[in-house]
């Protein structure tokens, strides 16, 4: 079910989580190890020592070299073994003592991994998020897991009409759930649309920040294929915006790990972080209660078994784009 999904960039870890120690990640049912070289640049390899197949998860990095925790084999940033401490000095290092290195890149607060052929790993395909790292924006981040196929998780954020029914805490307006006609914008590797919605209920810090009634909020919903969502919410007041970026990492055919970062240009004081983290986690649990009940197959393979409406136009565009890319017709 995961065939054909390797020739894409995936944001597999928060950049701040990759420090001086190696970090194991799972992607498409395969375990990889991340580490930083002497220059601090991210490196990635299959998480298997060629000596006795041990994981590097509990190993260490020294002078930019990755060390196996089992027998201390040391590998440089190119994956070549440079030291075998259990051998006598002067013993030649076997030619097979090397790691398979993959393309890794740090950008926009994430470590990105390209599990496919290195020659196809163009870092220019990684999207830009200029607000990340900008001092005018405050960031928080987190992660959560789903018992669901990643395409279902992607579509939960692309769904333009579920909020009044699933997120009742913030959108208690079931009687005003009709969606205006959607116009989808496509690029080679993304689908987007612009949505006008009734503003969310002002609770907690939102009530303090937004003191007057606003007629509507506007959002840009984007998916960077195959699995990264960006939700850019404009509150149409004082330039207030909220941006949520979620990398929905396919751990397997039925398990997804979401690593997310959200930034805001209002109420930027650190004390507010707790409220935003709480609200994001609450929204996740509401979505999870529905998403985990859905079919766990890839959604573009299920198209003929589901009824899609005009309000699902962005989801349909995602499915068609993914099917075309994987069939080589895009």
């Amino acid at each position: 079910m995961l065939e054909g999904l390797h020739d894409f960039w995936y944001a597999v870890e928060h950049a701040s989580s990759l420090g001086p120690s190696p970090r194991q990640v799972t992607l498409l049912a395969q375990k990889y190890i991340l580490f930083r070289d002497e220059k601090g640049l991210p490196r990635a390899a299959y998480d298997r020592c060629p000596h006795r197949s041990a994981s590097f998860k509990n190993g260490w990095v020294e002078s930019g070299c990755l060390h196996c925790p089992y027998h201390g084999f040391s590998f440089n940033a190119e994956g070549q073994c440079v030291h075998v401490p259990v051998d006598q000095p002067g013993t030649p290092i076997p030619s097979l003592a090397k790691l398979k290195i993959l393309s890794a890149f740090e950008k926009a607060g994430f470590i990105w991994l390209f599990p496919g052929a290195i020659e196809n790993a163009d870092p220019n395909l990684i999207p830009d998020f200029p607000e990340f790292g900008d001092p005018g924006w405050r960031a928080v981040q987190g992660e959560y897991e789903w018992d669901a196929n990643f395409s279902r998780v992607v579509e939960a954020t692309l769904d333009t009409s579920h909020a009044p029914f699933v997120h009742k805490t913030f959108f208690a307006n079931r009687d005003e759930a009709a969606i205006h006609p959607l116009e989808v914008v496509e690029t080679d590797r993304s689908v987007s649309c612009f949505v006008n919605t009734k503003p969310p209920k002002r609770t907690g810090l939102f009530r303090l920040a937004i003191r007057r009634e606003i007629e509507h909020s506007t959002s840009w919903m984007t998916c960077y294929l195959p699995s990264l969502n960006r939700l850019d919410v404009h509150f149409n007041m004082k330039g207030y915006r909220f941006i949520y970026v979620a990398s929905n990492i396919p751990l397997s055919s039925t398990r997804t790990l979401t690593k997310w970062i959200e930034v805001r240009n209002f109420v930027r004081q650190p004390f507010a972080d707790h409220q935003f983290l709480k609200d994001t986690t609450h929204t996740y649990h509401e979505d999870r209660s529905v998403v985990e009940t859905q079919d766990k197959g890839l959604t573009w393979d299920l198209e003929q078994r589901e009824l899609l409406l005009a309000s699902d136009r962005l989801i349909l565009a995602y499915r068609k784009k993914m099917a075309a890319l994987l069939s080589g017709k895009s």
Side-chain angles (χ1 to χ4, degrees):
M1 184 180 291
L2 300 176
E3 293 83 4
L5 290 169
H6 289 78
D7 279 340
F8 295 93
W9 283 101
Y10 294 87
V12 294
E13 186 55 275
H14 294 118
S16 59
S17 296
L18 183 59
S21 299
R23 188 85 170 177
Q24 184 190 73
V25 298
T26 302
L27 173 64
L28 299 172
Q30 175 67 53
K31 294 187 184 302
Y32 301 96
I33 198 72
L34 305 177
F35 66 101
R36 293 190 182 275
D37 63 18
E38 282 189 292
K39 297 180 179 178
L41 299 176
R43 299 285 181 161
Y46 284 93
D47 187 21
R48 187 188 70 81
C49 181
H51 175 218
R52 296 281 300 283
S53 299
S55 168
F56 289 96
K57 181 179 180 180
N58 296 318
W60 71 98
V61 179
E62 189 175 313
S63 300
C65 290
L66 179 66
H67 293 254
C68 177
Y70 201 5
H71 298 93
F73 279 52
S74 175
F75 300 86
N76 65 18
E78 285 69 46
Q80 296 295 325
C81 182
V82 294
H83 183 51
V84 181
V86 296
D87 277 346
Q88 293 292 321
T91 302
I93 296 175
S95 60
L96 294 179
K98 57 185 178 182
L99 304 179
K100 183 175 180 180
I101 297 293
L102 296 96
S103 296
F105 202 78
E106 182 173 351
K107 186 177 181 180
F110 290 106
I111 303 297
W112 301 74
L113 177 64
F114 193 91
I118 288 181
E119 59 269 22
N120 296 331
D122 181 1
N124 292 317
L125 295 176
I126 299 175
D128 290 311
F129 304 121
E131 300 85 4
F132 288 21
D134 187 305
W137 295 78
R138 177 74 181 177
V140 293
Q141 65 186 43
E143 63 179 66
Y144 28 69
E145 286 198 42
W146 313 70
D147 181 22
N149 184 276
F150 80 93
S151 59
R152 288 294 187 189
V153 180
V154 169
E155 291 184 3
T157 303
L158 299 182
D159 191 307
T160 60
S161 59
H162 75 288
F165 307 96
V166 179
H167 305 303
K168 295 182 286 292
T169 300
F170 301 109
F171 296 90
N173 53 345
R174 291 182 182 177
D175 295 332
E176 299 177 337
I179 298 298
H180 294 289
L182 302 177
E183 182 176 347
V184 176
V185 178
E186 299 186 21
T187 70
D188 290 344
R189 292 288 177 107
S190 73
V191 293
S192 305
C193 78
F194 181 73
V195 184
N196 277 334
T197 60
K198 287 285 184 180
K201 186 188 298 184
R202 293 177 298 162
T203 60
L205 292 170
F206 278 99
R207 182 177 296 176
L208 296 176
I210 304 176
R211 294 179 178 271
R212 65 175 176 82
E213 293 296 328
I214 54 177
E215 293 183 1
H216 63 274
S217 58
T218 55
S219 304
W220 267 104
M221 296 179 172
T222 304
C223 177
Y224 298 94
L225 276 55
S227 63
L228 189 135
N229 289 107
R230 182 178 188 267
L231 176 63
D232 185 353
V233 181
H234 295 240
F235 292 101
N236 297 316
M237 176 184 173
K238 298 182 179 179
Y240 288 171
R241 288 170 63 199
F242 171 89
I243 300 173
Y244 171 77
V245 173
S247 175
N248 304 301
I249 304 161
L251 301 181
S252 68
S253 297
T254 59
R255 295 292 297 176
T256 301
L257 173 63
T258 298
K259 300 269 187 177
W260 59 267
I261 302 174
E262 62 185 29
V263 295
R264 62 188 189 272
N265 65 356
F266 60 100
V267 195
R268 299 196 304 270
Q269 295 82 356
F271 77 83
D273 292 350
H274 174 75
Q275 184 66 52
F276 283 90
L277 287 165
K278 180 181 177 181
D279 289 346
T280 301
T281 302
H282 180 78
T283 300
Y284 151 69
H285 283 295
E286 290 179 326
D287 277 328
R288 181 186 176 196
S289 68
V290 177
V291 171
E292 291 189 350
T293 70
Q294 294 177 289
D295 192 304
K296 289 181 169 54
L298 292 166
T299 57
W300 48 89
D301 291 336
L302 302 169
E303 184 178 329
Q304 300 305 316
R305 289 164 36 199
E306 293 189 340
L307 172 65
L308 297 184
L309 307 176
S311 58
D312 301 313
R313 190 166 294 167
L314 184 57
I315 290 172
L316 179 59
Y318 168 70
R319 294 183 182 187
K320 287 184 174 181
K321 179 71 72 171
M322 282 303 305
L325 280 174
L326 295 179
S327 67
K329 296 178 181 179
S330 177

